[in-house]
Amino acid sequence: MGFFTIDIGKKKDKDKEVIASYGCKLCPSRSKIPQTLPIGGTVPSIYILTSQPEYAGASHSGLRSTYIKESLKKYFCDFDSTEDFRFNMMTRCYTGQGKTTELVRKCCEASFIADIETTKPLIILGFGTDVLKWAVNRSDSSLWRGRRIPLKVGNHNTWYFHIEDPIDTTFNSKLEYKKYEFNLTFNFDMKNVRDWLVDYYKDPDIRYGQIKNIEIIEGSGISDIDKIEKCLGELKK
């Protein structure tokens, strides 16, 4: 529910801007090598953004990367696997923990934003809560999965699609029905992205002068419905 856009390139929090400007110099994970650098096409159609390497030296390998790449082969088989995809991570170093800290993410932010600005992808596929938090400042991954969001990253306008992280949702679950449900929704979302990109894509129209004071309505409860009904009622007056 709701129509909105998010500007990642113009943060108002000056402290975070200072942290980002220092990059690796300030990052507590700076000594963890080797760093994972982006790979893939230089002018990609699809930019795949995940949180961090799965283990030290993993680069773009591991269970998550393998699962995503297999899905890309299945649903984007008519795309050029060398030029149409680009893979990157929010943090370049494996931190040794399940979730990265905000400090580490902020230190790495400038590097992947610059890469997106340079490569200018048509869409960004974001996997996992960390990426969702960066894109729209929300953390409910299941609620936002499959949504198409116009996004301004630095000086580049693009589309962001949120997909749940297979590591968090599938491989860490001991419940078979959870794995089955995730596979269904993951494949459904990937197919929808492919169909929209091939048949309905159009450039995002982001006009910041027209979106002041817009509130994001997630549709997560009855209170959201009540809020919309109240606003519609006021418009009738």
Side-chain angles (χ1 to χ4, degrees), residues 22-83:
Y22 279 90
C24 291
K25 295 178 181 178
L26 190 61
C27 181
S29 298
R30 64 187 179 278
S31 61
K32 300 180 183 300
I33 54 174
Q35 290 187 339
T36 300
L37 301 178
I39 60 172
T42 55
V43 188
S45 298
I46 304 170
Y47 198 97
I48 296 91
L49 187 62
T50 55
S51 57
Q52 68 162 330
E54 293 175 48
Y55 52 88
S59 186
H60 295 277
S61 59
L63 293 175
R64 176 193 293 114
S65 295
T66 300
Y67 193 95
I68 293 172
K69 289 175 181 177
E70 288 300 317
S71 181
L72 291 173
K73 289 179 183 179
K74 179 178 180 180
Y75 291 105
F76 297 85
C77 57
D78 49 347
F79 283 66
D80 188 322
S81 60
T82 303
E83 297 298 330

Side-chain angles (χ1 to χ4, degrees), residues 96-206:
Q97 49 190 313
K99 297 290 184 181
T100 57
T101 65
E102 184 177 4
L103 174 59
V104 172
R105 293 194 300 271
K106 184 56 60 177
C107 288
C108 284
E109 185 175 282
S111 65
F112 70 81
I113 287 179
D115 191 61
I116 292 172
E117 287 181 301
T118 300
T119 57
K120 297 182 175 12
L122 299 180
I123 68 172
I124 297 173
L125 291 184
F127 293 86
T129 304
D130 286 346
V131 186
L132 179 65
K133 182 73 173 177
W134 163 76
V136 296
N137 197 29
R138 294 294 188 276
S139 57
D140 191 336
S141 187
S142 61
L143 181 63
W144 286 79
R145 51 150 284 266
R147 292 180 182 242
R148 183 177 74 252
I149 304 164
L151 186 69
K152 186 175 180 66
V153 183
N155 59 21
H156 176 58
N157 293 344
T158 186
W159 292 98
Y160 174 83
F161 287 82
H162 183 67
I163 311 290
E164 290 194 84
D165 188 342
I167 290 292
D168 292 342
T169 314
T170 300
F171 299 116
N172 287 340
S173 175
K174 296 181 180 180
L175 302 175
E176 288 301 320
Y177 81 90
K178 285 286 187 182
K179 297 179 181 180
Y180 175 75
E181 288 179 351
F182 173 80
N183 286 327
L184 286 180
T185 56
F186 187 93
N187 290 328
F188 178 83
D189 290 342
M190 293 293 280
K191 182 180 184 301
N192 277 350
V193 172
R194 191 267 176 198
D195 290 345
W196 179 85
L197 181 58
V198 171
D199 297 327
Y200 303 105
Y201 175 85
K202 63 179 181 178
D203 293 335
D205 185 7
I206 300 177

